Amino acid sequence: MDDSVKRRAVHEIRRILEAAGYDIEEEGDPFDFSALAGRECILTLCTDDPAIARRFDHTQYNLDDAGERVPCKKLIYTSNPEIRPKEGVLWQNRDLARYAGEAAVARISGERLVISWGSAPGREGMKPHMAGDAPPPGRIRALPIRATADEAMRISGQNGPVRLRMIPAWVYDYSCKGDASYKGKQITFDANGSGAISAVNGLPQDLDLDAISEIEIPGDAEMVRPSILQKEAEEKILTHLIGALSKRVRIKTESGDAIFSEEKTFRPPRDQIERSIQLTYIPIWQIRGKHIVEVNAFTGEILSEPMDEGVELL
């Protein structure tokens, strides 16, 4: 890899990671630059030299965070097919092209590109997810409309104007791998799952996630804008997951004839929880008769509370 190609590759990877919210710091040998986001550190090396790549891949690098040593992730970009890292993530030309395109969309939309690590980085690489970027223009991720406007009016018991409103929610997947030990007791945090929160008020949403698909934006629908943007939603979701995955453990110890019982709460570190998040819409029929009634267009159920602010159901 000649110097001009390397400079262009470094520049492009920097822009990708910047679109994902990382702060870039220039470095000298043995890698090109580091990218920092909270406690997460990614070291990047662009090379076609197998010996240099192997040495970088086999070396353990740590970030010193207030006296705590946090392992750094390693990213290797190369056009040499013989380079196959065991520990680090491998990016080749096709990966760079894909991620650069998604980063460009993120910059245009103003949303942050989210890059989560696979469980086996050397084989799976980084998996980029960006809220709202998957569907092409004119399409959205949403629950399907199963109840018609006439059915919604009949269900509501109201006669009056009916309009379709698309209410946003943040749908997420997560995976946690890690453990802790205390006085001989081993605590594991291994878990994975999915969920959703409202993009309007941040409250948990009970959605049929398997039914979500890409649909054309209905021409007569009101698209409600998210009040909670991606970054805030990610923080809410992460806080919830840390609490949900925390474990309270009772530990008994003996000292002579006495038995002592100690309770301790263990929480998974933030960087052990991988997650992806996407903006998804819930279709709602709003009927304005003597009273305002909203009907979930997917389930056909009358809402007891509005799914967004500024609407009072009577």
Side-chain angles (χ1 to χ4, degrees), residues 98-115 127-141 170 214 230 276-281:
R98 174 187 174 187
Y99 303 157
E102 296 193 357
V105 174
R107 287 190 291 271
I108 292 171
S109 65
E111 296 174 339
R112 183 164 69 87
L113 179 68
V114 178
I115 302 178
K127 298 179 180 178
H129 300 273
M130 185 171 62
D133 75 324
R139 299 180 68 85
I140 56 173
R141 279 171 45 89
W170 291 107
E214 284 186 20
Q230 182 182 354
S276 64
I277 179 172
Q278 288 187 294
L279 192 61
T280 303
Y281 288 87

Side-chain angles (χ1 to χ4, degrees), residues 13 28 32 58 63 86 100 111 176 195 214 218 247 273 291 295:
I13 296 172
D32 295 308
H58 291 175
L63 173 69
K86 293 183 179 180
E111 296 174 339
C176 181
E214 284 186 20
K247 296 189 177 180
I273 304 175
H291 306 296
V295 176

Side-chain angles (χ1 to χ4, degrees), residues 39-40 68 70-71 73 177 238 242 268-275:
R39 287 165 53 92
E40 185 176 43
E68 182 181 353
V70 180
K73 299 179 177 70
K177 289 188 178 294
L238 186 57
I242 290 174
R270 296 167 68 95
D271 58 2
Q272 287 185 354
I273 304 175
E274 298 176 358
R275 63 269 177 203

Side-chain angles (χ1 to χ4, degrees), residues 145-278:
I145 299 171
R146 293 181 175 172
T148 66
D150 290 340
E151 290 171 335
M153 188 177 296
R154 176 180 55 79
I155 292 168
S156 72
Q158 301 291 312
N159 288 314
V162 182
R163 64 171 175 169
L164 180 63
R165 312 182 74 225
M166 304 300 289
I167 310 297
W170 291 107
V171 173
Y172 61 90
D173 297 303
Y174 72 90
S175 175
C176 181
K177 289 188 178 294
D179 53 43
S181 61
Y182 183 72
K183 293 185 177 180
K185 187 80 171 180
Q186 197 72 16
I187 300 96
T188 179
F189 301 113
D190 291 2
N192 59 75
S194 56
I197 66 170
S198 168
V200 176
N201 55 31
L203 296 177
Q205 300 289 292
D206 184 14
L207 306 181
D208 183 352
L209 304 183
D210 291 335
I212 294 171
S213 63
E214 284 186 20
I215 66 169
E216 293 284 348
I217 297 177
D220 56 348
E222 175 193 356
M223 301 297 296
V224 177
R225 294 177 62 86
S227 300
I228 297 175
L229 301 183
Q230 182 182 354
K231 188 172 182 180
E232 181 183 356
E234 287 177 338
E235 188 60 32
K236 287 180 177 291
I237 291 166
L238 186 57
T239 300
H240 164 73
L241 290 175
I242 290 174
L245 297 174
S246 296
K247 296 189 177 180
R248 189 166 184 82
V249 178
R250 177 174 292 178
I251 301 169
K252 291 184 179 181
T253 57
E254 296 183 12
S255 178
D257 294 333
I259 299 177
F260 300 92
S261 181
E262 176 185 7
E263 287 193 353
K264 192 172 181 67
T265 300
F266 296 87
R267 297 178 175 82
R270 296 167 68 95
D271 58 2
Q272 287 185 354
I273 304 175
E274 298 176 358
R275 63 269 177 203
S276 64
I277 179 172
Q278 288 187 294

Side-chain angles (χ1 to χ4, degrees), residues 65-129:
D65 182 23
E68 182 181 353
R69 294 163 66 87
V70 180
C72 296
K73 299 179 177 70
K74 291 168 285 189
L75 170 61
I76 299 175
Y77 167 75
T78 183
S79 57
N80 184 347
E82 295 180 1
I83 294 179
R84 305 295 298 178
K86 293 183 179 180
E87 299 295 331
V89 170
L90 174 68
W91 276 12
Q92 297 174 316
N93 288 335
R94 64 179 181 275
D95 304 300
L96 190 60
R98 174 187 174 187
Y99 303 157
E102 296 193 357
V105 174
R107 287 190 291 271
I108 292 171
S109 65
E111 296 174 339
R112 183 164 69 87
L113 179 68
V114 178
I115 302 178
S116 61
W117 292 84
S119 58
R123 293 186 294 276
E124 296 181 11
M126 288 181 177
K127 298 179 180 178
H129 300 273

